[in-house]
Amino acid sequence: MKRRQEYMSITPLELAKVAAIAADEKKAQDIVLLDLTELSDVCDYFLIASAGNAHLMDAVVDGIEERVWKNAQVKPLAREGQNGTRWVLLDYGSLVVHVFDPEVREYYRLERLWGEAPRVPLDLEGALGLEEVAPTAAVAEGAAEKDGPAGEE
């Protein structure tokens, strides 16, 4: 059973898009929204973004929290990794937001680990185009074989 949080008349997809817009407004880069509704019992969506330095990461994460609160009156159930870390996670129940330092993002490669997940198109300046992030099945399988199930080398 998926963990869900009741939102004030906003769907999990709408919540994810609000978070994506907030990340884009704060100049996050390489923003990707993965639809996990058919693949995971943990959450419905992963929002993944990069921030080039600790100050930008803090601004992106704070901007997401502020915008989601303003638009949906929802606070994260948990916030992991703050104050200068290289990966911050915001857990909204059906949405999990990952904001990475680019090197850490490349190391964990969540987009490849969840390579079967459909990408939700985002019309944002900082969003990756679908053709930029959609690995072929062979690439996704090769990455899984090389890196193992946790995406570690």
Side-chain angles (χ1 to χ4, degrees):
M1 184 169 148
K2 292 188 183 193
R3 292 180 333 151
R4 297 201 186 257
Q5 185 172 353
E6 292 297 319
Y7 307 119
M8 295 186 64
S9 68
I10 188 169
T11 68
L13 178 57
E14 290 168 335
L15 183 75
K17 289 183 176 182
V18 167
I21 290 166
D24 189 57
E25 287 175 345
K26 293 296 182 176
K27 306 301 181 199
Q29 300 171 332
D30 303 331
I31 302 166
V32 175
L33 182 58
L34 302 179
D35 181 347
L36 304 178
T37 55
E38 299 298 320
L39 301 173
S40 173
D41 290 334
V42 175
C43 66
D44 291 330
Y45 297 95
F46 270 0
L47 179 66
I48 305 169
S50 296
N53 61 59
H55 295 295
L56 181 58
M57 184 174 295
D58 290 342
V60 169
V61 171
D62 291 345
I64 292 169
E65 282 191 272
E66 290 168 13
R67 173 66 79 125
V68 168
W69 176 252
K70 180 180 177 184
N71 287 33
Q73 291 73 51
V74 178
K75 291 189 182 269
L77 301 170
R79 179 176 173 161
E80 300 293 331
Q82 32 193 0
N83 300 328
T85 61
R86 298 176 68 194
W87 180 3
V88 177
L89 179 144
L90 297 173
D91 181 355
Y92 286 98
S94 63
L95 167 66
V96 177
V97 177
H98 302 269
V99 182
F100 286 101
D101 169 280
E103 290 177 15
V104 175
R105 183 174 179 173
E106 177 59 31
Y107 179 79
Y108 286 101
R109 294 179 251 174
L110 292 183
E111 295 96 327
R112 287 191 184 169
L113 182 64
W114 291 95
E116 294 178 26
R119 273 61 174 173
V120 177
L122 297 170
D123 187 22
L124 303 171
E125 185 177 325
L128 284 176
L130 294 179
E131 66 282 350
E132 296 175 273
V133 295
T136 64
V139 170
E141 289 172 16
E145 290 172 9
K146 176 183 173 217
D147 299 331
E152 297 178 3
E153 295 180 355

